[in-house]
Every structure is written in structure tokens, then in C-alpha cells.
Amino acid sequence: MALVDVSRIPKHVAIIMDGNGRWAQARSKPRTAGHERGADAVRATMRAARRLGIPALTLYAFSEQNWDRPEAEINALVDLLCECLVTERNELLDNEIRLSAIGRLHKLPKHAQSRLRALSAETEACEGMTLTLALSYGGREELIDAARALASAARDGEIEPDEIDEAAIDRFLPSMDLGPVDLLIRTGGEQRISNFLLWGSAYAELYFTDELWPDFDAISLYSAVRDYQGRERRFGLVPGVDEDATVRKGPHKLERAI
Ligand code: FPP
């Protein structure tokens, strides 16, 4: 098996973690058992990403659309999140992993919001990797929120309509704090983006695998990264283009941090 090229590690990896329900169904277990095993896969992937030196990992943990699932499943997912925010505390601190969250977080139960805030604050100074959980997140919703904020800023005279360019929109999108996505992975066999990081994934390399999320592990991540390393990224230009001079234009936090 080919090795990962440590000089060409993607800076921002995002994952659509799909297949928990089917994993459980195949074992005649409740869907929540799939989510529990999914949490183990999150831990394994986070460790592997940190070991590889990936600076930013963003996980689609709960979409805006997931609020339409049965209440019992939503409660189980929120409980699992809260539990992980306790059990993974040392893992994050010991491995220098900063926790961050994006999405309409105000829709989460108050106790989940405060645990998220507390662990984010506690890990604020960690510089090894940023783990971002997309919670109550939707790419279109994020763009709507940004459009509203930009419209308000224009109304208040803080920005001229003509000044609204790519960099301005980047600044209004929390998901762009860490820069654009280089590698977007989706497990579970479906080949779609499902309203994840729509703006930031504009030039992402897409990697789809049939593996169900609870089965995803370090080896799965290495395979995805190796596949990414075999791609030629052209950004609509000609071969050999300098990646940092094209999609990574803005002063994103990631560039400032490293
Ligand atoms: C999609 O599988 C997965 C989710 C909606 C939730 C993702 C949650 C986890 C991985 C668990 C824990 C995560 C954290 C961050 C604590 P699905 O239920 O849609 O699967 P299916 O397509 O097989 O039904």
C-alpha cells in the first residue's frame, strides 16, 4: 500500500459522516447504536487526522434538516454529543486539538450550547489541529445568514455594495474561518454534498466511499488522503498552478495560526 506523502497533506478536510443507521440496521440494532459506534469513529478519525498533521477537520455532525428526524433520535444525538464533550476533553487537550462549532447553534438545547462553549474555551489555545463540529448546520442556511448580515452592514454604511467580493463573503461565513475545504469525504455510498460547506467546497476534491461511517477508521482516512494526493488540482486554470495563490487568498485563521 502506498504511503501518505507528508509534504502534501490537505489543510482542510471535511467529512459527511453517513451510514450510522444502516450500520445498525444490518446488525438488527436501534439506529442509536449506529450513532454510538459513529462516535467511536469520530475519535479514531480525529486521532488519525492529528497524527497526519491535518490542520483543520470539519465534521457534519447534525444538519439543519436532521431536526425533522424522530424526537427520540434527535435527543439521543444531543445526549451523545454532550457525553462526548465530557469524555473527549482530555483527548483534545492532550493532543492539542482546538474545538470549534459552526451552524445555528442557538437551536441546540441550552445545556449542549454551554458544554460546547466551555470546551471550546478550554481548548482555545491548542494549536495542533482545529476540530470543527457542524451542528444544526446547513450550507444554504449559512449563506442566508451571511446575506442578512451583509445587507445589515450595507444598510448601516459599514460596507458599500461594490465592496462585496469573495473576501467579504468569506468574512461573513464562519465555515471559512479555517479556509476552503481541500478534501471532502462522504461515507455511506451516496454521492452528494447534502447542503454541507457549499461555498468552501467550491474547489474541494470529492472522495466518496461505500464504507459506513461507524466502520471508518485511520486506514480509511489514509486511503482518502492518498487518493487526494493523486489528484491534480487546477482550480479552473492550467496544470501546475500554485494552490496557495488561488483558492487560499483570504487571511483565514488557519494561515494566521501556522
Ligand atoms: C448520518 O447517518 C449521521 C448523522 C446524522 C449523525 C452523525 C453523528 C455521529 C457520527 C455521532 C456522534 C458525533 C459526535 C460529533 C459526537 P444516518 O443516520 O443518516 O445513516 P443512514 O443514512 O444509514 O440512515
Side-chain angles (χ1 to χ4, degrees):
M1 207 192 298
L3 293 172
V4 168
D5 175 356
V6 291
S7 71
R8 287 190 55 227
I9 296 293
K11 291 180 177 141
H12 190 173
V13 174
I15 309 184
I16 301 173
M17 309 182 287
D18 196 15
N20 293 352
R22 278 164 286 162
W23 183 94
Q25 194 180 23
R27 289 159 183 79
S28 306
K29 292 183 173 182
R31 293 177 58 81
T32 47
H35 296 318
E36 281 162 22
R37 282 297 288 264
D40 295 338
V42 166
R43 187 180 311 109
T45 305
M46 177 175 90
R47 280 186 186 159
R50 176 72 181 96
R51 267 200 306 274
L52 275 181
I54 291 171
L57 176 67
T58 301
L59 303 178
Y60 207 3
F62 193 89
S63 73
E64 259 301 85
Q65 290 65 37
N66 285 159
W67 289 116
D68 291 330
R69 291 196 176 198
E71 199 181 332
E73 185 172 345
I74 294 174
N75 291 340
L77 279 166
V78 171
D79 288 349
L80 186 58
L81 169 70
C82 289
E83 190 186 312
C84 288
L85 292 172
V86 174
T87 57
E88 303 311 309
R89 175 184 174 274
N90 290 347
E91 176 85 22
L92 296 185
L93 289 168
D94 292 349
N95 291 293
E96 280 290 308
I97 300 172
R98 177 193 300 129
L99 179 71
S100 169
I102 51 170
R104 290 181 170 167
L105 305 175
H106 60 274
K107 293 175 79 173
L108 294 171
K110 291 274 177 288
H111 67 284
Q113 291 183 43
S114 57
R115 284 195 192 188
L116 260 178
R117 260 197 309 272
L119 193 52
S120 300
E122 236 188 318
T123 57
E124 175 71 40
C126 295
E127 293 200 336
M129 179 175 91
T130 299
L131 170 70
T132 303
L133 299 181
L135 294 160
S136 191
Y137 178 84
R140 287 182 172 176
E141 287 77 4
E142 189 187 19
L143 286 165
I144 291 168
D145 293 343
R148 287 181 181 154
L150 268 165
S152 300
R155 182 198 56 209
D156 298 343
E158 292 159 12
I159 189 167
E160 288 297 320
D162 286 352
E163 289 169 352
I164 299 175
D165 55 10
E166 248 183 66
I169 292 178
D170 281 2
R171 284 197 299 278
F172 280 82
L173 292 173
S175 65
M176 287 301 289
D177 275 0
L178 298 169
V181 177
D182 296 305
L183 170 61
L184 176 63
I185 299 171
R186 180 177 186 139
T187 62
E190 311 290 353
Q191 303 198 353
R192 49 179 177 259
I193 309 284
S194 295
N195 203 21
F196 199 28
L197 310 170
L198 297 179
W199 177 271
S201 294
Y203 285 97
E205 294 298 327
L206 307 180
Y207 179 85
F208 299 108
T209 170
D210 288 337
E211 205 167 25
L212 302 175
W213 176 253
D215 293 325
F216 198 87
D217 59 13
I219 303 290
S220 317
L221 182 70
Y222 299 157
S223 301
V225 170
R226 272 198 306 272
D227 192 273
Y228 165 87
Q229 293 180 335
R231 312 266 182 103
E232 185 186 34
R233 306 193 73 196
R234 293 167 71 161
F235 308 102
L237 301 172
V238 291
V241 70
D242 173 7
E243 173 185 340
D244 286 332
T246 54
V247 284
R248 296 192 168 279
K249 281 182 280 201
H252 305 295
K253 275 189 192 148
L254 189 60
E255 268 81 38
R256 291 200 296 269
I258 55 178

